[in-house]
Amino acid sequence: MSDEVLTITDLGKNFGAVTALRDVNLTVHAGEIVALLGDNGAGKSTLMNIICGSQPADAGSIKVKGGELTSLADARRLGVGVVYQDLALAPDLSVAENLFLGNEIVRTVGPLRIVDRPAMRSAAKKAIEHLGISTLRDVRLPVLSLSGGQRQVLAVARAMKWAENVILLDEPTAALGPKQVGMVLDSIKRAADHGLGVILVSHDIPSVLKLADRVVVLRHGTIVADVPPAGLSVSDVVTVMVGED
Ligand SMILES: Nc1ncnc2c1ncn2[C@@H]1O[C@H](COP(=O)(O)OP(=O)(O)OP(=O)(O)O)[C@@H](O)[C@H]1O
Ligand SMILES: [Mg+2]
């Protein structure tokens, strides 16, 4: 694979005396799924927060297709999307309205600016068809009527719709049943098939070994493995995660 979408160079981050990240170097290519693994406190969320511009780094740089990223505004401009653990969906709003949350289609009628719900519904329908998602057929349904898995799929779909280069997912399958996990993993696969670079934080090592193109392990803020998953067992991964000592 050639086309690099994300380039992380010599990244460092401290919280007082705690070194959360040290000398982190990582590249992600278009269409690639990178699983980011590590024990509690290894620095996974800190790394994700810096990549999406919500926390500053102390050292090093983040580049998306060559463009420097240091803020949330940069992340948005450079096409980096995030699926947060709590999803950040609005439960009272419909699938279509959630898909366009913060990017509403607005129409002007005389002096008024009104949200164009019919336009959003038809654009949402098209987007969901285009993304090949079959579990969200009715875009008028409110999110509170969806299952946990359907909500996760919607959150991934929203990130896919607005992110052009990179999508970050922190624990997207936590607390889901097996069928719903399958649904969410399919939608992540689809994001990669659409050419996005994906970084996936998960404690579900068996699923990750099946899905990811590369497995990156953080230990005490340092990358200790960056390897293809072929031939790795769950216990191999756990050994690398926790270390020999
Ligand atoms: N805002 C903060 N202030 C102080 N220390 C922090 C802060 N955020 C993270 N840390 C510390 O940085 C280290 C890495 O934390 P981080 O949340 O990135 O770990 P993680 O790999 O996401 O862990 P988990 O699997 O538990 O989510 C930990 O030692 C944590 O205590
Ligand atoms: Mg975390």
Side-chain angles (χ1 to χ4, degrees):
M1 269 185 275
S2 58
D3 34 349
E4 248 170 65
V5 286
L6 177 68
T7 313
I8 300 173
T9 311
D10 298 334
L11 202 75
K13 177 74 179 176
N14 303 309
F15 293 105
V18 175
T19 301
L21 295 172
R22 181 171 34 202
D23 296 332
V24 170
N25 288 281
L26 182 66
T27 55
V28 181
H29 303 88
E32 193 175 33
I33 301 177
V34 173
L36 182 62
L37 307 179
D39 208 352
N40 295 121
K44 305 180 297 295
S45 294
T46 303
L47 181 55
M48 298 291 257
N49 290 337
I50 296 174
I51 300 171
C52 76
S54 71
Q55 268 183 7
D58 294 331
S61 73
I62 307 273
K63 287 190 174 157
V64 176
K65 289 203 169 161
E68 193 96 29
L69 186 159
T70 58
S71 67
L72 283 168
D74 289 343
R76 196 179 164 96
R77 180 175 50 83
L78 294 167
V80 176
V82 196
V83 180
Y84 294 102
Q85 193 159 8
D86 65 4
L87 300 184
L89 297 173
D92 297 335
L93 300 183
S94 69
V95 167
E97 287 162 327
N98 269 279
L99 206 60
F100 282 88
L101 207 62
N103 295 290
E104 285 81 4
I105 299 176
V106 174
R107 185 159 60 93
T108 43
V109 181
L112 300 176
R113 284 164 56 77
I114 57 167
V115 174
D116 192 339
R117 291 208 165 68
M120 272 162 46
R121 273 200 295 276
S122 82
K125 250 179 141 153
K126 273 200 203 113
I128 281 170
E129 268 169 36
H130 174 69
L131 298 173
I133 293 165
S134 55
T135 186
L136 298 173
R137 270 193 212 93
D138 188 350
V139 299
R140 292 164 305 179
L141 285 179
V143 159
L144 51 81
S145 73
L146 302 180
S147 74
Q150 288 170 323
R151 290 179 202 206
Q152 283 285 8
V153 169
L154 173 57
V156 175
R158 184 173 63 187
M160 280 168 69
K161 173 149 176 57
W162 303 106
E164 282 154 36
N165 290 314
V166 178
I167 166 173
L168 310 170
L169 305 114
D170 204 345
E171 289 289 350
T173 57
L176 296 182
K179 185 164 163 237
Q180 300 200 318
V181 168
M183 206 156 80
V184 173
L185 296 182
D186 279 352
S187 70
I188 294 170
K189 187 91 184 59
R190 236 170 353 244
D193 291 344
H194 277 75
L196 290 167
V198 178
I199 301 186
L200 168 65
V201 171
S202 176
H203 286 105
D204 179 1
I205 300 171
S207 295
V208 151
L209 290 178
K210 275 187 235 147
L211 186 70
D213 300 299
R214 270 162 60 209
V215 173
V216 171
V217 180
L218 271 177
R219 189 162 76 220
H220 305 315
T222 305
I223 292 181
V224 292
D226 183 343
V227 293
L232 283 183
S233 70
V234 173
S235 75
D236 293 337
V237 173
V238 172
T239 303
V240 178
M241 278 168 58
V242 300
E244 256 65 57
D245 37 333

